Amino acid sequence: MDGVPNVTRADAVAAVRNPLAFIAARWTPHPRTVQRAALAPIVMSVIIVVTGGAVRLTGSGLGCPTWPKCTDDSLTTTSEMGFHGIIEFGNRMLTYVLCAAVGWAIIAARSQKPYRRSLTLLGWAQFWVVMSNAVLGGIVVLVGLNPYTVAAHFVATTALLTLATLMWQRTREGDTAPRPLVGKSVQQLVWVMVVVSALLVVVGTVVTGAGPHAGDSSDVPRMPVDWEMISKAHAVLAWIVVTLTFALWFVLKAVDAPKGPLARTRDLFLVLLAQGAIGYVQYFTDLPEVLVGLHMFGSCLVWIAVLRVLLALRERPEETVPGLPSQEYDATSVSMAGPR
C-alpha cells in the first residue's frame, strides 16, 4: 500500500494560491473522465429546468417569499411554510449541486494533459452564467414572479445548456482547426434551423408568460398578449423547425453525407415529433401540469438535439502529442464519424 506523500509548507501555499494548478500538477484524468465531467452540467441544467417547472406548476414560486434567505428570519424553509416552501427551497438547493457539477467539469478540464485552455474557458463561462442566473432567480422572487424576469431566467438557463453542450462536444474532439463535413449550402440551412429553433424557445417563454400557470396561487400579472395567438405562432415555428429538419435529412442523404450529421438529424426529428405530440395534447386538454412539465423537459432535449446537429457538421481530429498516449474515443463519436 502506497504511503501518503508529505505535504510541505510550499505545497500548502501553492494549493491556497492556485488550487486548480495544484490539482492539475498531481492528477491527470482519463479522457472519458473529462467527458463525463462535462456531461454533468448538461444533466443538472435539464434537472434544474424540470424542477423549476415543478415550482411554477405547483404554485410554489413564492414558497420562499424573499431572497437570498427563505424568509426574513430564516435561511431555510420552516414548517409553517408547508409544501410550497419545501418545493421552492429544494429547487434553490439544486443550484449548489449544479455549481458542484460545473466545478467538477472545470477541475477535470484544467487537469487534462495536454492542457486545453478552450475547455477550461467554457467551464468558467458556465460558472459565471450559473452565478448570474442565481441572482436573476432572486430578482424573480423579489419582483413577485414578474413574467418577463421568469422568461429571462429560462433563457439564461438555455444559454447555460448551450455552453455545457458545446464543452461536452469539445471534450470529444481535438484542438485542430475544424474541417467541414458538408457543403456551405447545407451549413446555411442548419444555421437557419438553429435561428428558428432559438426563436421557438423565446416565443415559448412568451406562451408561458401569458398562460394560466403563473407560478403562485395569488394574482400574478401575465404578459399582455393574446395567449391563443402566441400559442399558434409557437406551433407555426415548431412546424417550420420540423420541416427544416426533414429537408435537411433529405439533403444529407442526397449528398451522401457522413453518418454523424445524418444520425444527429434523425435524432432531432424524433425528439421534435415527441415534443410536438406533447404540445398538441396539452393544448387540447387545457394545459395539465404534468404535460406542461414534460413539454419543458422536451424543450431542453430539442435545443440539445439542434446544437448536436450544428456541431456534427465539422470535425476536429485529435492532435497527437509526442510522449503522451493517444486519447481513445468511441467509434460513434460525432466528431470522429467517417464517411459512409
Side-chain angles (χ1 to χ4, degrees):
M1 183 175 178
D2 296 333
V4 178
N6 293 327
V7 178
T8 65
R9 180 182 177 84
D11 290 335
V13 172
V16 171
R17 287 181 176 175
N18 194 334
L20 289 179
F22 181 81
I23 295 172
R26 289 157 178 80
W27 178 53
T28 301
H30 190 277
R32 291 188 186 277
T33 300
V34 181
Q35 293 172 16
R36 290 165 183 164
L39 180 61
I42 298 178
V43 175
M44 279 308 305
S45 296
V46 175
I47 290 175
I48 284 287
V49 169
V50 173
T51 57
V55 170
R56 183 171 63 86
L57 295 169
T58 57
S60 305
L62 296 178
C64 286
T66 188
W67 186 88
K69 291 184 176 181
C70 193
T71 69
D72 291 333
D73 302 319
S74 176
L75 184 63
T76 63
T77 184
T78 62
S79 58
E80 292 80 6
M81 301 172 71
F83 172 76
H84 294 310
I86 294 173
I87 295 294
E88 163 66 6
F89 186 73
N91 185 63
R92 290 189 185 188
M93 290 299 98
L94 283 177
T95 302
Y96 295 101
V97 181
L98 175 60
C99 287
V102 172
W104 173 235
I106 293 172
I107 292 171
R110 178 64 179 83
S111 301
Q112 189 177 23
K113 310 295 187 302
Y115 170 60
R116 300 176 62 185
R117 186 169 181 267
S118 59
L119 284 185
T120 307
L121 289 177
L122 284 170
W124 279 112
Q126 292 178 64
F127 173 79
W128 291 115
V129 170
V130 171
M131 293 297 100
S132 301
N133 207 18
V135 174
L136 182 55
I139 294 173
V140 170
V141 173
L142 295 176
V143 297
L145 307 182
N146 179 283
Y148 295 100
T149 60
V150 173
H153 195 42
F154 184 84
V155 171
T157 305
T158 304
L160 172 63
L161 197 57
T162 302
L163 290 169
T165 303
L166 178 57
M167 182 179 182
W168 180 62
Q169 175 63 28
R170 294 290 287 112
T171 62
R172 305 166 67 85
E173 302 174 330
D175 277 331
T176 57
R179 182 172 69 87
L181 297 176
V182 295
K184 190 172 182 180
S185 59
V186 177
Q187 295 177 39
Q188 291 172 340
L189 175 60
V190 173
W191 272 110
V192 170
M193 185 181 69
V194 170
V195 171
V196 177
S197 299
L199 185 59
L200 176 66
V201 172
V202 172
V203 174
T205 64
V206 179
V207 174
T208 299
H213 296 296
D216 189 65
S217 57
S218 61
D219 184 18
V220 176
R222 315 307 295 140
M223 290 184 181
V225 297
D226 187 315
W227 185 81
E228 291 282 344
M229 179 197 69
I230 200 66
S231 296
K232 290 176 181 178
H234 184 64
V236 169
L237 286 171
W239 277 112
I240 293 175
V241 175
V242 170
T243 303
L244 290 172
T245 304
F246 198 55
L248 175 63
W249 190 83
F250 270 103
V251 170
L252 292 173
K253 290 289 287 186
V255 300
D256 198 27
K259 292 180 180 179
L262 270 169
R264 299 292 80 79
T265 303
R266 178 204 61 208
D267 295 344
L268 172 60
F269 187 70
L270 294 175
V271 172
L272 284 169
L273 289 182
Q275 177 73 339
I278 295 172
Y280 274 106
V281 171
Q282 71 168 359
Y283 179 82
F284 289 111
T285 54
D286 296 326
L287 303 177
E289 286 82 357
V290 173
L291 289 183
V292 174
L294 282 176
H295 200 61
M296 294 181 68
F297 172 68
S299 70
C300 295
L301 298 186
V302 168
W303 185 242
I304 292 171
V306 168
L307 293 174
R308 294 193 72 197
V309 171
L310 177 65
L311 295 172
L313 301 183
R314 84 285 186 276
E315 67 175 0
R316 291 174 181 263
E318 180 194 349
E319 228 173 355
T320 303
V321 180
L324 288 175
S326 61
Q327 298 181 2
E328 298 178 359
Y329 293 90
D330 292 335
T332 55
S333 171
V334 171
S335 62
M336 306 302 290
R340 295 174 65 249

